[in-house]
Structures are given as structure tokens and as C-alpha cells.
Amino acid sequence: MASVYRNSSSLSFDSFVHDLDAAFGMSTGGLGILFDTSSGKCLSRQTDSIYGAQLHPEQFLKDLTMRFVKRIQERLAGNQATTTAERTVSLFDWCTDVLVPAASEGFFGPAILELNPNFVEDFLRFDENSWILTYRYPRFLAHKFYQSLDRNTVAFMRYLKVPNTERRSACYHVHTTEAKLRQAGLVDRDIAIVLQMFHWVTNANAYKVPFWLLAYLLHSPVTLDTIRTEVARCIDNQHVAIDALLQSFPLLNASFTETLRLVTAASSARTVLSPTEIGGKVLQEGKKLLLPYRQLHFQESTFGPLSVDEFHPERFVAKEDLDKGMNFKPFGGGVTYCSGRFLARREVLAFVALVIRKYDLEIVREEGGKGGVPRQDQQKPTLGVLESVKGDHLFVRLKQRTDLKLGSLKKFV
């Protein structure tokens, strides 16, 4: 893997991005502008750099995290499932209903949802079968999928028609990327596709990881109670101490990491630009190289002696550097090392901490499978986090807690 990561001269990821842009419907002219390298770094990579700056802790991430947390709190306060003292919900649907709108508003401001009432539903229909794009299914074989994709594109085109003065609440990345693309001469539809793709990569996994983490915790009541006691010190009705969540609560962070180990199925892909030797074999020009990571996460020599097939976050508490090795790659690596890894941890920890602090959760019923945590759907291709098997549902009863006091939060904020 290291030799692949280091090689950016004869192994390229750009062709995959190019083909994905084309699959989304970008014009030939737009593709030519985005991937023109005559003046150095192509525009596509420049927009990736803007996205990376937005999501880096030392640049614009703090403001974006606060936006996300605020939207999550608002969604929890206004969501029908959590405005009554007690209610039964599908855990997956509830996580989706809160997190996708919150993240969309966090990046683009409220206009993206106000202009398009069915925006979230269309995105979810698209994301559920987004593998169709990477496998290049023709439109006549996937009408409904492409209809949801087209409606999302139109939604972003409508968003771009709104004057900038009415979209000021969008984040740095959105404003800067749009300005750069307009300056380069891209038309609205092509700009909409670029923004649509960034929205997709930001949201595609963010609502699935909290679902899995909460599902595992609900089946590990001792761990859940321990984490609830821990996070009570950094959350009240108004504040979430993000730095404390990241630094002061090892079991919460270990549970997040263990969930990633169990449910991610990410891969890295490269195109061979010229004959390249990897592991003693010469790869020929034009060939595709795929690095699947999921198998690494179940290496007993690395993650044992606790069962590698079960949720045991304590393995990451006992070995603090266990997530630093080459056998743990939930976010890929090299030039495709996920820029959103910092935001993902903050978003998931904040949401889960808010939920278990504010609500008592009780499993009401489990549908499909053989009971327990829903089964992972390992048959459908994925670009990141696995979904549950269709028909497997975990229904929980939410009951608002009444002991939300300030505690020792002041030492964190």
C-alpha cells in the first residue's frame, strides 16, 4: 500500500473523478475545463484543496463543526420523534431524519432545503444505489435512480439561482468553489454537479455510522452506561464541548473507531499511466488498480485476542495506537485519504453524545435477521459504510431524560 500511496506520477486517481463527473452528467466542455492541466494543477484538484481546507482542524473546521452541532441540536429539538416525552422510532430512519438535513444546512445554509422540499428524500434514493454510477449502469436499466439524481442536480441549479446575498450562511467551501468555477467559465449545471458531488461525499456515510454505533451500544448496555456517565460532564441543553469529546473520553472514541472497523468497506482506486512495478509485478498502462481495505480490519494478529467479528471497543482503549497502523484504513490513504475524517468524528461523537445524554433508549423490537444488531449488507457495492440488510430494522423507544444539569461543563467551554 505504501508504494501505491507514494506514487502519484504513474498511478492516478484523476480518471476516476473524471468518469464520475461524466456519470453525473457534466458536459464535455465542463470536463475539459475541470481537468485541464496545461497551467499546472487542474481545477478539479483545486476544488478538492478548498474542500480539504474547509475540513482541516487548523483552518475552517471549527466554524463548520459548530454549524453542524447547532443544526443537529435544532433537528433534535424539532424532530417529531423527539418532541414528545416518549416515542418509538426506527433507529436508522431517525438518524437519517436528523443528520442529513443538519449536514446539508451546515454546508449550504437553509436555502438548499427551503427551495427543494423533497431534497433529502431524493438524495437518499440516490445514495441508496449510488454504486450504479461507479458500475456505469445505463439509464434504461435504472430509471428511478437516475430520476433522483437528476432531481438533485436541478435542486442545486435552483440553489445557484438564488442571489449570493441570500446564501451568505453557506460555508467557505461553497462560496469559494462556486466563485472559482464561475471564473473558469463553467455553466450553472456543471457547477451544480460539482457541488452535488461534494454534498454526496459529505453525507453518504455520516448518517450511517451513528446508526451502527448506537445499535452496537444498545446491545452493549454496560459500555453505553459508562459513556453516558462520561459525556454528562461536557453536554448541557445549550453547549457541547467538542474538544472534550475528542480528547477526554477514550471509551466513546474507541467505540467510534471500533464501529468504523466493523462497518466500513472502503477501497482506493488508481489508473496506471505507465508501466509500474508494485509488489514484484509490473502493472501495464491503462489498467485499474483497486485496494480493498475491509479485509485488513479483521486480522486477528492485529485486532485480537478479542473476537474480531464482535464489537469490543476496549481493544482500542488497551492499545492507544491500534488505529494508527497499516491494517486500519476506514478513510483510505494516499491522495484519496478522506478529507472528511476530522468532521466525521466530530459530527458522529456530537450526535451520539447528545442522544445518549438527552434520551433513554430502549430496544422495542428487532425485525429481520436473527435478532441483535442488524446484519450488514455485504452484497451491495459500497464506497464507504455498509448499510443494513433490507428488512432488518431496529426499533427503539426514546424517552427524554430529566437530569440535564450543567455539571462540570464550564471547565470545557
Side-chain angles (χ1 to χ4, degrees):
M1 284 192 297
S3 59
V4 174
Y5 293 161
R6 288 193 299 266
N7 188 337
S8 58
S9 57
S10 64
L11 298 176
S12 172
F13 183 67
D14 288 348
S15 65
F16 286 90
V17 181
H18 178 283
D19 291 348
L20 198 55
D21 281 329
F24 265 82
M26 183 167 291
S27 69
T28 302
L31 291 170
I33 294 172
L34 269 182
F35 294 93
D36 179 16
T37 59
S38 60
S39 300
K41 190 176 182 180
C42 72
L43 186 58
S44 177
R45 289 196 180 186
Q46 292 178 45
T47 60
D48 285 343
S49 296
I50 297 169
Y51 186 65
Q54 175 70 78
L55 299 178
H56 197 280
E58 295 180 1
Q59 299 191 53
F60 300 98
L61 181 59
K62 183 174 182 180
D63 174 69
L64 185 63
T65 301
M66 292 301 100
R67 288 167 175 263
F68 271 46
V69 172
K70 179 181 179 183
R71 281 1 184 249
I72 289 171
Q73 289 175 306
E74 291 171 351
R75 289 283 162 179
L76 286 174
N79 187 276
Q80 184 181 9
T82 53
T83 52
T84 57
E86 187 174 310
R87 187 174 178 86
T88 298
V89 299
S90 160
L91 183 61
F92 181 79
D93 291 346
W94 181 57
C95 291
T96 302
D97 290 344
V98 172
L99 289 168
V100 175
S104 301
E105 286 191 26
F107 254 87
F108 295 94
I112 192 67
L113 301 182
E114 292 171 354
L115 291 167
N116 309 284
N118 297 318
F119 178 80
V120 172
E121 290 78 4
D122 287 331
F123 167 73
L124 292 173
R125 290 191 190 99
F126 158 75
D127 185 48
E128 183 180 10
N129 292 296
S130 55
W131 58 270
I132 287 174
L133 281 182
T134 56
Y135 279 72
R136 302 183 185 181
Y137 265 46
R139 282 183 173 259
F140 73 88
L141 290 178
H143 288 295
K144 291 183 179 180
F145 167 78
Y146 281 106
Q147 287 172 354
S148 63
L149 171 64
D150 292 342
R151 285 194 295 269
N152 250 205
T153 303
V154 170
F156 278 99
M157 292 176 65
R158 190 178 295 132
Y159 175 78
L160 291 171
K161 296 294 185 184
V162 176
N164 279 326
T165 55
E166 298 178 27
R167 293 191 279 121
R168 288 176 178 168
S169 57
C171 69
Y172 159 83
H173 165 255
V174 173
H175 288 304
T176 308
T177 297
E178 179 187 350
K180 183 170 282 291
L181 296 177
R182 289 195 184 283
Q183 185 180 23
L186 266 72
V187 299
D188 272 9
R189 178 177 174 80
D190 289 341
I191 297 173
I193 287 173
V194 173
L195 295 181
Q196 182 181 7
M197 289 179 66
F198 279 118
H199 175 268
W200 176 40
V201 299
T202 302
N203 282 278
N205 298 314
Y207 65 97
K208 298 167 189 169
V209 176
F211 157 72
W212 286 114
L213 176 49
L214 286 171
Y216 284 123
L217 289 177
L218 285 168
H219 287 86
S220 308
V222 174
T223 302
L224 175 58
D225 288 343
T226 301
I227 293 175
R228 175 177 281 132
T229 301
E230 287 183 345
V231 302
R233 297 187 290 125
C234 70
I235 291 179
D236 66 10
N237 281 318
Q238 286 77 40
H239 302 98
V240 179
I242 297 296
D243 288 345
L245 289 178
L246 295 171
Q247 301 168 13
S248 302
F249 307 115
L251 187 56
L252 173 62
N253 281 269
S255 296
F256 169 76
T257 306
E258 175 74 341
T259 300
L260 291 181
R261 185 187 69 81
L262 288 169
V263 304
T264 53
S267 299
S268 289
R270 303 287 190 273
T271 298
V272 182
L273 302 180
S274 60
T276 304
E277 183 175 342
I278 301 290
K281 297 184 181 296
V282 177
L283 306 180
Q284 298 300 320
E285 180 181 349
K287 298 298 183 180
K288 307 294 185 183
L289 177 64
L290 186 67
L291 298 178
Y293 297 119
R294 180 169 173 79
Q295 293 84 349
L296 298 175
H297 294 176
F298 294 87
Q299 293 288 326
E300 292 185 0
S301 59
T302 300
F303 297 104
L306 297 169
S307 172
V308 295
D309 297 315
E310 298 175 354
F311 180 76
H312 290 293
E314 54 269 28
R315 77 175 88 240
F316 287 99
V317 176
K319 301 178 183 179
E320 293 184 3
D321 62 347
L322 191 56
D323 61 342
K324 305 295 191 299
M326 291 298 288
N327 280 357
F328 186 70
K329 294 292 178 183
F331 296 110
V335 297
T336 53
Y337 196 21
C338 178
S339 300
R341 62 192 183 278
F342 302 113
L343 176 62
R345 181 178 291 270
R346 287 159 172 79
E347 181 183 2
V348 172
L349 295 188
F351 174 73
V352 170
L354 280 166
V355 166
I356 64 177
R357 177 66 183 125
K358 293 191 172 187
Y359 308 102
D360 285 319
L361 292 86
E362 177 188 355
I363 297 174
V364 176
R365 68 180 187 276
E366 299 163 331
E367 295 182 359
K370 299 179 180 179
V373 177
R375 295 168 297 171
Q376 300 168 0
D377 186 352
Q378 299 183 26
Q379 302 301 312
K380 186 167 70 173
T382 179
L383 298 179
V385 176
L386 295 167
E387 298 179 4
S388 60
V389 171
K390 200 172 186 64
D392 279 21
H393 296 287
L394 183 61
F395 289 89
V396 299
R397 179 178 295 111
L398 303 173
K399 185 176 181 180
Q400 293 191 31
R401 298 171 63 86
T402 59
D403 60 342
L404 291 177
K405 298 179 180 179
L406 186 59
S408 55
L409 177 64
K410 287 183 178 179
K411 81 173 188 176
F412 293 121
V413 297

